[in-house]
């Protein structure tokens, strides 16, 4: 077990500026921002309760779960787990075939990145992929400016070994206050919303399978009732996914407990949808222990978090409606994408 521990030895790198502090964990290059807003420390992103565990069970978790926190890139995006009760329209494009290097949400989410530059206002990280992966390496920068204390600027570069196409994503997760109705999720404009086309977890499904919606406030629930998924946490135990297809590259969140608004913007040409992952005490097994609450708001060009083969299949029902579920990547022209997080008073 010792060698496994060595592989995962991660470091925490800090960046301090007038507006607060950014902590980056090299395992998965996971970023947690803490903003100073009017003398208050604001921590908008999620950290699970098992981070300090060091049991054998913990050490055998995949890297992505060992520190499932903050925000991190996923290249390629997706997990090839089987889907129960899949709707008919997804059958034609369905596949459980693994990606070449089969790590949940890509190699970069599960392994250590290297810090290649640290300045007073900038961190730069890099990760090289295994030889047989289509991806060569990723570079991620996190930058701050004293004259813009409430904003964090990020970039992601994707370098590939040959021209190819892959689903990609970013994976921020929201810190949800324990009290009800303290968060309001406001997505930018999107073309259509979809409930997951199967069961994410049996008996823990929040939305009606395969239904469509146009606003978070009115989503068809599993029992046929209309639910509002814009105000987590939810009464009950759920694990579910919803995709906001063809979104304009913006989301914001109002937190009424600490009275701030949290904004997130990205390039919609690179990430065409948002995957909303509702983790609401649904998973019973370790490390979740029926106690994990967050909402992922993940910009993706992907068909939910399904296998890379489904996302690449132009017959999948999202791609057929002209919303990209993958992105073309070129050996001679790396993809360069920038995005930002910011906070303001309510």
């Amino acid at each position: 077990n010792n060698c496994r521990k060595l592989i995962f030895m991660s470091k925490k790198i800090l960046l301090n500026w007038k507006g607060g502090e950014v902590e980056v964990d090299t395992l998965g290059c996971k970023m947690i921002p803490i903003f100073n807003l009017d003398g208050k420390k604001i921590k908008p992103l999620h950290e699970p309760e098992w981070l300090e565990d060091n049991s054998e069970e913990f050490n055998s978790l995949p890297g992505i779960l060992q520190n499932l926190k903050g925000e991190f890139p996923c290249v390629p995006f997706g997990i090839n787990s089987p889907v129960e009760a899949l709707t008919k329209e997804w059958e034609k494009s369905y596949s459980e075939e693994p990606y070449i290097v089969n790590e949940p949400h890509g190699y970069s989410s599960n392994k250590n990145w290297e810090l290649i530059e640290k300045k007073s206002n900038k961190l730069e990280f890099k990760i090289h992929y295994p030889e047989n992966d289509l991806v060569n390496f990723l570079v991620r920068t996190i930058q701050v400016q004293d004259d813009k204390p409430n904003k964090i600027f990020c970039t992601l570069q994707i370098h590939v070994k040959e021209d190819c196409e892959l689903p990609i994503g970013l994976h921020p997760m929201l810190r949800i206050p324990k009290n009800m109705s303290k968060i309001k999720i406001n997505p930018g404009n999107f073309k259509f919303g979809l409930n997951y086309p199967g069961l994410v977890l049996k008996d823990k499904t929040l939305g009606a399978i395969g239904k469509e919606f146009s606003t978070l406030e009115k989503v068809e629930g599993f029992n046929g009732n209309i639910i509002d998924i814009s105000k987590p946490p939810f009464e009950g135990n759920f694990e579910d996914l919803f995709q906001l297809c063809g979104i304009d590259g913006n989301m914001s969140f109002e937190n009424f407990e600490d009275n701030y608004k949290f904004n997130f913007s990205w390039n919609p040409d690179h990430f065409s949808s948002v995957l909303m992952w509702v983790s609401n005490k649904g998973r019973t097994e370790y490390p979740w222990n029926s106690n994990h609450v967050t909402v992922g708001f993940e910009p993706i060009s992907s068909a939910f978090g399904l296998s890379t083969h489904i996302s690449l299949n132009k017959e999948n029902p999202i791609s057929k409606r002209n919303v990209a579920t993958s992105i073309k990547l070129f050996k001679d022209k790396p993809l360069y994408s920038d995005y930002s997080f910011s906070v303001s008073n309510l």
Side-chain angles (χ1 to χ4, degrees):
N1 216 20
N2 286 348
C3 79
R4 188 183 250 304
K5 267 184 192 160
L6 284 175
I7 296 170
F8 280 155
M9 280 299 283
S10 66
K11 291 202 289 276
K12 290 189 174 65
I13 314 289
L14 296 181
L15 185 63
N16 289 290
W17 89 113
K18 196 171 139 186
E21 175 181 279
V22 181
E23 178 191 285
V24 183
D25 193 319
T26 55
L27 176 55
C29 209
K30 299 183 176 124
M31 172 183 84
I32 288 269
I34 301 171
F35 294 94
N36 298 330
L37 192 65
D38 291 346
K40 274 193 307 201
K41 290 210 178 303
I42 301 296
K43 201 176 207 175
L45 296 183
H46 170 69
E47 289 182 293
E49 293 184 351
W50 62 78
L51 293 179
E52 300 309 313
D53 195 357
N54 54 12
S55 64
E56 202 149 311
E57 207 172 11
F58 175 81
N59 289 323
S60 63
L61 291 172
I64 190 171
L65 287 189
Q66 290 202 2
N67 63 351
L68 186 73
K69 63 184 178 186
E71 177 270 329
F72 55 97
C74 303
V75 181
F77 191 89
I79 300 170
N80 65 317
S81 326
V83 180
E84 262 187 86
L86 186 77
T87 62
K88 200 156 181 53
E89 61 165 352
W90 282 82
E91 281 171 9
K92 198 172 165 186
S93 58
Y94 186 70
S95 167
E96 286 170 29
E97 200 186 320
Y99 176 67
I100 311 159
V101 175
N102 194 38
E103 299 265 4
H105 287 325
Y107 186 79
S108 58
S109 303
N110 296 276
K111 298 290 189 273
N112 270 304
W113 293 54
E114 188 189 346
L115 174 68
I116 54 174
E117 183 178 40
K118 183 177 183 179
K119 291 181 176 168
S120 62
N121 68 331
K122 182 185 174 188
L123 299 174
E124 188 166 328
F125 297 89
K126 187 177 191 178
I127 187 167
H128 283 275
Y129 274 54
E131 212 170 314
N132 52 339
D133 205 300
L134 292 169
V135 180
N136 188 7
F137 62 89
L138 306 182
V139 177
R140 162 160 159 87
T141 68
I142 295 157
Q143 217 161 344
V144 290
Q145 293 171 214
D146 280 341
D147 60 349
K148 292 187 180 160
N150 298 336
K151 196 165 187 179
I152 294 171
F153 303 85
C154 303
T155 68
L156 176 65
Q157 288 173 47
I158 303 175
H159 297 252
V160 290
K161 296 176 183 129
E162 58 189 76
D163 293 358
C164 60
E165 202 166 324
L166 287 174
I168 61 171
L170 305 169
H171 203 298
M173 295 162 289
L174 199 58
R175 184 180 66 78
I176 309 290
K178 291 223 180 330
N179 295 325
M180 302 305 250
S181 302
K182 294 292 181 194
I183 287 272
K184 173 82 169 123
I185 301 174
N186 302 303
N189 294 316
F190 57 94
K191 289 178 185 162
F192 57 94
L194 294 178
N195 292 11
Y196 195 65
L199 294 174
V200 174
L201 205 56
K202 201 170 167 349
D203 302 326
K204 302 287 167 62
T205 304
L206 182 61
I209 292 175
K211 295 295 183 190
E212 192 170 322
F213 59 90
S214 57
T215 166
L216 297 189
E217 286 80 6
K218 290 186 180 145
V219 173
E220 193 174 325
F222 192 66
N223 303 323
N225 50 335
I226 297 298
I227 55 173
D228 179 353
I229 61 167
S230 74
K231 292 178 178 168
F234 307 102
E235 290 282 4
N237 297 56
F238 302 108
E239 186 78 16
D240 213 341
L241 294 162
F242 303 88
Q243 184 157 333
L244 312 182
C245 301
I247 194 167
D248 64 5
N250 293 287
M251 281 192 96
S252 73
F253 310 86
E254 292 169 304
N255 182 310
F256 307 112
E257 189 171 75
D258 296 316
N259 296 312
Y260 67 87
K261 189 174 172 190
F262 180 52
N263 298 298
F264 179 31
S265 61
W266 65 92
N267 184 339
D269 294 339
H270 297 159
F271 304 96
S272 59
S273 298
V274 159
L275 185 61
M276 266 182 68
W277 168 41
V278 174
S279 185
N280 198 96
K281 303 184 178 182
R283 293 189 185 274
T284 54
E285 74 276 19
Y286 179 85
W288 316 90
N289 301 338
S290 305
N291 200 27
H292 184 255
V293 179
T294 188
V295 172
F297 50 103
E298 307 157 26
I300 54 170
S301 281
S302 174
F304 289 91
L306 296 164
S307 79
T308 51
H309 299 273
I310 301 176
S311 290
L312 290 172
N313 189 327
K314 301 298 180 212
E315 290 300 304
N316 81 61
I318 297 173
S319 181
K320 278 179 97 163
R321 291 175 70 175
N322 295 320
V323 172
T325 55
S326 59
I327 190 156
K328 287 190 165 73
L329 299 161
F330 302 98
K331 185 184 175 183
D332 298 333
K333 197 179 171 214
L335 181 81
Y336 182 96
S337 204
D338 48 1
Y339 56 101
S340 67
F341 298 94
S342 61
V343 292
S344 55
N345 286 304
L346 267 186

